[in-house]
Amino acid sequence: VIENKGGANGIVAAEQMSKQPPDGYTFMQVAAGMLTINQSIYKSLPYDPIDGFTPLTIAVSMPLILVVNNAQPIKSVADLIALARAKPGTLTYGSSGVGTSMHLGGAMFEVMAKVSMVHVPYRGGAPAMNDLLGNQVTALFDNAPTALAQIRAGTVRAVAVGGNARLAELPNVPTIAESGLPGYNSDTWYGFVMPPKASPQVANGLHASVVAALADSKQKLEGLGFTLVASSASTMHDTIRSESAKWADVIRRSGIERQ
């Protein structure tokens, strides 16, 4: 039984999950930001994002892709930086909301490129893409699965990939890191967690089942722009800790106010 619990960047769902019995019958798909970003965006959380769950696996990862409207003169990261410096505070980038990976991908770009752009938050990625298509915003740092559909349709231009490596689906599109901002990496991921204090036997059994299911869906997932990870529980826990520190630094340097 799948129960969708939307609201507040995953906070509603995470709070409910943190209070469930750790018997293996209830687990949750999480977006990375629920465990690595929310604690630096919100003044308080009703759950502990680092130690308040039993990690199972990072299922898939995906980079953000920097895309612009075809009418824009921007064809490279250098073009975007030059235009942003020539017109400080006038270029815009949309996102699916404050504190989302799309927002922080843009914030990291601003910090590393030393430029000032205007963040325009939307209620989800779809309306943000709609306004990019209408040339109402300059750019999006969009999730690969969504961006690839528009890139393949020729409705937007791919400028650069936000991850550590180029995408097989876009072999001629460079990474942001190799385009003048070494060290830039806005990869994000989806994973699975259980309620806290699950026994190793229960957690290991559920981990094995989830990883097997992911392997069965590998071809479909990769066709959508995801990279199959299927990590160990310990790797997931370590990743949550390290990325929490990374995004906290980006948020601090960007001057993003806590909600």
Side-chain angles (χ1 to χ4, degrees), residues 36-45 49 98-99 103 244 247-249 251-252 254-259:
T36 63
I37 295 173
N38 281 355
Q39 59 266 45
S40 296
I41 289 289
Y42 295 95
K43 293 178 181 177
S44 64
L45 291 178
V98 173
H103 175 200
S244 294
W247 291 122
D249 181 62
I251 290 165
R252 177 186 59 78
S254 298
I256 299 170
E257 294 186 5
R258 286 179 180 261
Q259 306 295 301

Side-chain angles (χ1 to χ4, degrees), residues 64-77 79-80 129 132-133 138-144 146-162 166-167 169-176 179:
L64 299 181
I65 302 177
L66 171 57
V67 292
V68 298
N69 184 281
N70 289 327
Q72 291 289 339
I74 301 162
K75 296 184 178 178
S76 67
V77 168
D79 287 345
L80 177 58
M129 177 58 77
L132 182 72
L133 295 174
T138 309
L140 287 183
F141 294 81
D142 200 8
N143 295 319
T146 306
L148 281 171
Q150 298 295 340
I151 293 165
R152 287 165 178 159
T155 53
V156 299
R157 179 185 303 127
V159 175
V161 175
R166 296 190 183 197
L167 285 177
E169 295 84 354
L170 301 172
N172 296 320
V173 178
T175 66
I176 293 177
S179 300

